[in-house]
């Protein structure tokens, strides 16, 4: 089981953050990634998701 | 004569000539760049959301490069969540500023001062420039100073209410007692209210809803900018008119030799 | 003069801030408009204080008094606290050119034995007083501290509130005295001008300006509840010294919000063999202005008025700005038990009323005399 942003994305187990962003059409420049509570540095976006990971991928939006 | 051109808002060594912090929520991205110019703002707040909730356009494309981004931790209910969000925000490469919001209560969106102090301490230790949104309590403000905050951001009224300085007396106390900038955040609904906050001695005003929900976002942004500058100038000039007090007798000092 | 051996050093940034603000205070720059503006401020800031201490404010004494009185009412209601000082020793190692106790002054020296201290305290307690301030000269021998501690233990058995006005200590020594029942510490800086300070303090440990300046902070670090400040008005430029006293007290209160702040307002008085020192420089009107300015700037502070001043002045000032007054005072040593046996006084007093008389006078002014306002914890 792989949870990304609250959704089951088990299809991406073994795939990298890069591949996930590319597939979903997200711009990597504007993303920040946290895996199991730890920040994933931008230069490590080639690392692979493991079974059991909980992932948050966020970007800026308008806010006060 | 105080020259307003030599007057800066200072946050942890960063200097700003503008004292208007603009919130970017609740209005269309296409207006944002123009509104920032009209507001003469140098600091703009943003929030973080999951990428699939963020829409396809990226907000950073609408913000000039010389603007300081102030990510908030909206969505955090406690200190640990605020720290997580702040770290994610910093990872986006827009500097070390963070506005701490720890909000447990979804009805009034009042800040949880206790969690806010904890988050401020942790984030200051991680090298962030921490701007905590807080309920104006002097003891808490002192704790925030000791925790390493760059300023304190007391609320004027509940978020989004446009009710102005409902907490006026308590904000005054913070201005008198706290050496850091006091920035009113939340509840400021009109330029005159922003002006009053500045006349009192607030270091800056943060506003979002009042501008986003006005009939003309750009015009209102400009109106706020002008009133904030006017209020600052009045504060620097020193308010107070001299009235001649009638003196019939000296009941309290008459005994003096 | 820097630190001597054994003196604890703490951060000096607060001192530097006070001294630089004192340095930059030019009171001739302030006019009537500045004074009027200050009096209208809801909370008077440092700039307002500067205006209120300026010569220009001398024309506003009645307005200042009205403002001071309303500030005092807000914080103290009608209550006036009573206390008495008890001198247990007038031995002194320091040489201060204006003081009757000065080590080079030929006076009758006396140090009460502990059982004599006890007798003195019992005699004072009979008057109904509940607040006593233990005083000594600036004699800082190691054995002195345990002697003072014993005296304070005796005092705390009979009194609800015990203070000390002795030579400055390190914070651990303040902790020891707090354990002996002491609740408040008063240290007069005398003058906040380092140059003048060096000219008039020419011998003994009192020569260290910085160590003395930081005494209140060390006392709070040591667990004391309340600290007192004063400049001896008339020793140097009294406006600058009053200004420095008020901001010193203010900054300490901001740094230690729980602390109770007290200010005394002594003017130079004649002392034995010191007739060349006179208090001509600070007249009553100026003293009144200073005390009103203290009250307006620090509305929450206890302001103490001593018997150096006349009964008439003291009655006038407790209606307006002073919240604490000494009663049944002797500034000699051992005089509460045996008028014949005494060490010479530190200075000459003016108001010689006894406790009952002062009590009655306070009531007659529609004020409420209070013997004790605190619980020692």
């Amino acid at each position: 089981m792989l949870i990304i942003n609250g959704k089951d994305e088990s299809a991406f187990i073994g795939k990298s953050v890069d591949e996930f962003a590319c597939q979903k059409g997200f711009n990597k420049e504007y993303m920040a990634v946290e895996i199991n509570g730890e920040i994933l540095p931008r230069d490590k976006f080639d690392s692979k998701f493991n079974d059991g990971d909980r992932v948050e991928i966020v970007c800026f939006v308008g806010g006060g | 004569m105080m020259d307003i051109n030599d007057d800066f808002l200072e946050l942890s060594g960063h200097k700003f000539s503008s004292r208007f912090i603009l919130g970017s929520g609740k209005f269309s991205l296409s207006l944002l760049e123009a509104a920032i110019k009209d507001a003469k703002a140098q600091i703009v707040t943003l929030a973080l959301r999951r990428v699939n909730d963020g829409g396809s356009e990226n907000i950073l494309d609408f913000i000039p490069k010389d603007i300081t981004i102030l990510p908030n931790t909206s969505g955090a209910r406690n200190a640990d969540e605020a720290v997580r969000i702040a770290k994610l925000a910093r990872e986006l490469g827009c500097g070390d500023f963070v506005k701490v919001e720890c909000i447990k209560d979804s009805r009034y969106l009042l800040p949880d001062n206790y969690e806010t102090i904890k988050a401020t301490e942790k984030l200051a230790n991680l090298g962030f420039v921490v701007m905590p949104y807080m309920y104006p309590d002097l003891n808490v403000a002192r704790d925030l100073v000791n925790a390493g905050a760059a300023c304190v951001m007391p609320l004027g009224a509940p978020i989004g209410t446009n009710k102005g300085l409902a907490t006026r007396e308590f904000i005054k106390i913070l201005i008198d007692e706290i050496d850091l900038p006091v920035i009113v955040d939340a509840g400021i609904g009109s330029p005159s209210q922003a002006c009053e906050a500045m006349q009192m001695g607030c270091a800056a005003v943060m506003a979002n809803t009042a501008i986003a929900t006005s009939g003309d976002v750009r015009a209102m942004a400009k109106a706020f900018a002008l009133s904030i500058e006017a209020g600052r100038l009045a504060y620097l000039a020193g308010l107070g008119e001299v009235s001649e007090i009638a003196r019939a007798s000296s009941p309290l000092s008459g005994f003096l030799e | 003069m820097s630190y001597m051996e054994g003196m604890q050093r703490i951060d000096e940034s607060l001192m530097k801030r006070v001294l630089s603000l004192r340095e930059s205070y030019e009171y001739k720059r302030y006019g009537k408009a500045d004074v009027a503006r200050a009096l209208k401020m809801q909370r008077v800031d440092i700039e307002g204080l500067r205006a209120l201490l300026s010569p220009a404010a001398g024309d506003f004494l009645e307005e200042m008094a009205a403002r001071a009185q309303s500030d005092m009412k807000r914080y103290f209601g009608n209550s006036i606290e009573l206390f008495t000082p008890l001198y247990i020793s007038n031995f002194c190692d320091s040489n201060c050119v204006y003081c009757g106790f000065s080590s080079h002054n030929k006076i009758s020296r006396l140090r009460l034995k502990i059982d004599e201290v006890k007798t003195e305290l019992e005699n004072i307690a009979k008057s109904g007083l509940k607040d006593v301030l233990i005083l000594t000269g600036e004699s800082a021998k190691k054995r002195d501290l345990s002697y003072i501690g014993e005296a304070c233990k005796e005092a705390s058995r009979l009194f609800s509130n015990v203070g000390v006005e002795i030579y400055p200590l390190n914070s651990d020594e303040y902790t020891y005295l707090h354990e002996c029942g002491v609740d408040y510490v008063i240290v007069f800086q005398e003058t906040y001008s380092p140059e003048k300070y060096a000219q008039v303090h020419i011998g003994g440990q009192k020569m260290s300006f910085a160590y003395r300046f930081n005494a209140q902070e060390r006392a709070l670090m040591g667990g004391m509840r309340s600290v007192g400040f004063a400049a001896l008005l008339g020793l140097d430029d009294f406006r600058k010294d009053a200004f420095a006293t008020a901001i010193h007290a203010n900054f300490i209160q901001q740094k230690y919000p729980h602390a109770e702040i007290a200010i005394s307002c002594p003017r130079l008085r004649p002392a034995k063999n010191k007739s060349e020192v006179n208090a001509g420089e600070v007249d009553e009107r100026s003293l009144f202005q200073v005390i009103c300015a203290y009250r307006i700037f620090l509305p929450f502070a206890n302001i103490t008025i001593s018997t150096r001043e006349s009964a008439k002045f003291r009655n006038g000032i407790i209606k307006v700005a002073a919240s604490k007054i000494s009663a049944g005072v002797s500034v000699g040593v051992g005089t509460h038990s045996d008028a014949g046996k005494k060490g010479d006084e530190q200075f000459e007093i003016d108001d010689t009323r006894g406790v009952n008389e002062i009590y009655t006078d306070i009531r007659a002014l529609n004020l409420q005399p209070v013997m004790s306002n605190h619980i020692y914890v």
Side-chain angles (χ1 to χ4, degrees):
Chain A
M1 176 83 104
L2 166 67
I3 304 288
I4 300 180
N5 286 355
K7 287 198 190 117
D8 182 354
E9 302 277 8
S10 294
F12 287 94
I13 294 173
K15 298 266 193 305
S16 70
V17 178
D18 281 327
E19 286 170 292
F20 177 80
C22 197
Q23 185 104 18
K24 295 276 179 183
F26 297 142
N27 183 341
K28 282 191 309 182
E29 291 306 303
Y30 296 131
M31 281 176 14
V33 181
E34 182 197 66
I35 300 182
N36 302 326
E38 294 292 324
I39 298 278
L40 181 73
R42 312 188 68 78
D43 56 358
K44 299 244 163 60
F45 281 5
D46 56 356
S47 53
K48 310 264 190 292
F49 294 122
N50 299 314
D51 191 4
D53 280 349
R54 297 187 71 88
V55 183
E56 291 289 337
I57 303 181
V58 298
C59 64
F60 279 132
V61 297
Chain B
M1 175 68 195
M2 175 78 211
D3 186 353
I4 197 145
N5 297 319
D6 301 334
D7 178 52
F8 295 99
L9 167 66
E10 247 186 88
L11 296 164
S12 299
H14 302 265
K15 282 182 159 187
F16 301 92
S17 55
S18 158
R19 294 177 176 271
F20 182 8
I21 299 174
L22 182 65
S24 61
K26 304 178 189 164
F27 63 99
S28 68
L29 292 185
S30 56
L31 272 175
L32 184 56
E33 189 167 3
I36 291 169
K37 277 203 172 60
D38 292 316
K40 288 193 198 153
Q42 295 169 311
I43 303 176
V44 173
T45 60
L46 298 177
L48 275 192
R49 290 292 175 269
R50 288 170 167 172
V51 279
N52 39 357
D53 307 338
S56 56
E57 293 177 310
N58 194 284
I59 194 167
L60 290 175
D61 293 333
F62 297 85
I63 298 177
K65 288 289 162 262
D66 58 346
I67 296 292
T68 297
I69 300 291
L70 176 58
N72 66 28
T73 63
S74 70
R77 289 155 303 182
N78 57 44
D80 288 343
E81 290 177 359
V83 171
R84 268 180 75 192
I85 294 171
K87 283 178 172 172
L88 276 165
R90 182 153 72 174
E91 202 56 26
L92 286 161
C94 295
D96 295 324
F97 281 72
V98 65
K99 177 182 156 193
V100 170
E101 295 182 23
C102 290
I103 296 177
K104 267 196 213 151
D105 142 78
S106 59
R107 180 186 296 224
Y108 299 104
L109 302 174
L110 292 171
D112 180 324
N113 279 347
Y114 176 71
E115 294 293 332
T116 301
I117 295 165
K118 286 200 291 185
T120 298
E121 185 158 25
K122 286 181 175 155
L123 291 169
N125 286 336
L126 291 167
F128 283 87
V129 176
V130 188
M131 300 173 66
Y133 168 59
M134 47 96 68
Y135 193 86
D137 172 318
L138 177 60
N139 296 307
V140 171
R142 284 183 171 130
D143 288 345
L144 289 168
V145 173
N146 294 335
C151 67
V152 292
M153 300 182 85
L155 58 88
I159 292 181
T161 59
N162 289 348
K163 286 193 173 182
L165 291 168
T167 54
R168 182 183 291 102
E169 292 303 318
F170 305 97
I171 290 179
K172 269 188 193 153
I173 290 172
L174 298 191
I175 292 168
D176 284 340
E177 295 296 335
I178 299 295
D179 284 335
L180 294 175
V182 174
I183 300 174
V184 177
D185 175 16
I188 298 295
S190 71
S192 62
Q193 292 165 357
C195 188
E196 188 192 356
M198 296 306 294
Q199 277 181 191
M200 264 166 50
C202 288
V205 168
M206 147 107 212
N208 189 162
T209 307
I211 293 144
T213 59
S214 71
D216 180 339
V217 170
R218 290 190 53 187
M220 189 56 78
K222 188 169 184 178
F224 263 81
L226 291 168
S227 65
I228 286 167
E229 195 164 327
R232 180 63 185 176
L233 203 50
Y235 170 74
L236 294 173
L239 292 165
E241 68 294 348
V242 180
S243 68
E244 283 308 317
I245 307 161
R247 301 194 203 188
S249 63
S250 301
L252 296 176
S253 57
F255 69 91
L256 294 167
E257 302 293 335
Chain C
M1 177 69 203
S2 57
Y3 297 78
M4 301 177 192
E5 199 187 335
M7 290 182 174
Q8 176 190 2
R9 289 193 75 142
I10 60 171
D11 177 57
E12 289 183 355
S13 52
L14 194 147
M15 180 173 88
K16 292 194 172 93
R17 193 172 162 200
V18 169
L19 294 182
S20 86
L21 282 165
R22 181 188 188 277
E23 191 64 34
S24 65
Y25 177 30
E26 295 172 28
Y27 45 77
K28 291 193 176 72
R29 285 183 26 218
Y30 295 85
K32 287 186 174 181
D34 302 309
V35 179
R37 187 179 307 122
L39 285 170
K40 288 177 92 82
M41 285 177 175
Q42 190 182 352
R43 163 85 205 277
V44 172
D45 60 9
I46 286 176
E47 195 56 16
L49 172 67
R50 285 174 154 163
L52 294 179
L53 286 168
S54 70
D59 294 335
F60 287 80
L61 290 191
E62 189 59 26
E63 289 83 352
M64 283 178 74
R67 166 73 193 253
Q69 187 182 51
S70 86
D71 284 341
M72 186 157 82
K73 286 252 185 292
R74 185 152 51 100
Y75 281 87
F76 294 87
N78 287 330
S79 59
I80 301 293
E81 285 183 55
L82 291 170
F83 79 105
T84 207
L86 171 61
Y87 286 78
I88 58 174
S89 164
N90 64 1
F91 280 90
C92 194
D93 301 336
S94 286
N95 186 5
C96 311
V97 299
Y98 52 84
C99 177
F101 284 177
S102 168
S103 60
H104 289 236
N105 204 8
K106 301 253 182 308
I107 59 167
S108 156
R109 299 282 174 181
L110 191 64
R111 180 171 127 152
L112 299 179
K113 298 183 178 64
I114 286 295
D115 59 333
E116 293 174 320
V117 171
K118 216 169 140 179
T119 309
E120 291 271 292
L121 287 163
E122 281 161 0
N123 286 331
I124 295 169
K126 282 178 197 155
S127 68
L129 288 168
K130 283 284 164 204
D131 182 332
V132 70
L133 175 64
I134 305 286
L135 295 99
T136 64
E138 295 268 330
S139 179
K141 298 186 179 68
K142 277 282 167 259
R143 62 186 171 86
D144 282 317
L145 188 64
S146 54
Y147 162 70
I148 293 167
E150 288 309 307
C152 292
K153 281 181 196 166
E154 293 298 338
S156 63
R157 288 190 191 106
L158 292 162
F159 292 82
S160 323
N161 211 14
V162 179
V164 290
E165 190 174 330
I166 58 173
Y167 55 96
L169 305 172
N170 292 344
S171 56
D172 59 335
E173 296 170 312
Y174 282 123
T175 304
Y176 162 72
L177 285 187
H178 185 58
E179 284 160 1
C180 297
V182 179
D183 213 14
Y184 68 99
V185 171
I186 295 176
V187 181
F188 289 6
Q189 190 63 22
E190 318 294 12
T191 174
Y192 284 86
S193 155
E195 300 75 24
K196 182 61 152 200
Y197 189 95
Q199 287 166 20
V200 296
H201 300 108
I202 50 182
Q205 79 144 24
K206 199 169 172 179
M207 290 169 75
S208 175
F209 181 93
Y211 185 67
R212 194 172 187 85
F213 184 99
N214 286 322
Q216 287 87 353
E217 193 165 345
R218 292 193 306 273
L220 291 167
M221 290 159 94
M224 293 290 177
R225 180 183 57 80
S226 167
V227 286
F229 303 78
L232 183 50
L233 301 169
L235 202 51
D236 193 65
D237 186 326
F238 78 88
R239 296 180 196 277
K240 287 190 144 194
D241 271 344
F243 172 70
T245 306
I247 58 173
H248 184 193
N250 181 53
F251 293 156
I252 290 287
Q253 195 279 331
Q254 284 179 325
K255 193 167 175 180
Y256 299 88
H258 64 279
E260 186 201 277
I261 301 297
I263 296 198
S264 307
C265 3
R267 285 191 287 173
L268 268 180
R269 303 297 299 177
K272 188 171 180 182
N273 309 336
K274 295 276 174 186
S275 56
E276 73 279 8
V277 179
N278 64 55
E281 211 184 330
V282 185
D283 59 15
E284 267 196 6
R285 295 184 67 82
S286 301
L287 180 64
F288 186 78
Q289 180 188 342
V290 166
I291 299 174
C292 286
Y294 283 161
R295 169 57 63 214
I296 295 167
F297 182 65
L298 302 164
F300 49 83
N302 234 327
I303 297 180
T304 302
I305 187 78
S306 85
T307 48
R308 295 161 185 256
E309 304 305 333
S310 69
K312 185 169 145 196
F313 187 89
R314 296 192 344 136
N315 283 343
I317 200 75
I318 58 175
K319 277 196 301 200
V320 171
S323 54
K324 191 165 180 177
I325 187 167
S326 53
V329 174
S330 158
V331 293
V333 181
T335 43
H336 289 279
S337 2
D338 177 3
K341 168 201 175 185
K342 61 169 193 152
D344 278 332
E345 297 88 351
Q346 189 181 17
F347 54 85
E348 291 174 17
I349 65 176
D350 192 321
D351 182 2
T352 52
R353 288 176 295 171
V355 177
N356 284 341
E357 202 180 342
I358 289 189
Y359 195 94
T360 311
D361 285 355
I362 293 173
R363 294 292 295 271
L365 295 166
N366 291 323
L367 297 168
Q368 181 60 39
V370 174
M371 291 305 193
S372 167
N373 223 353
H374 297 287
I375 295 173
Y376 172 90
V377 281

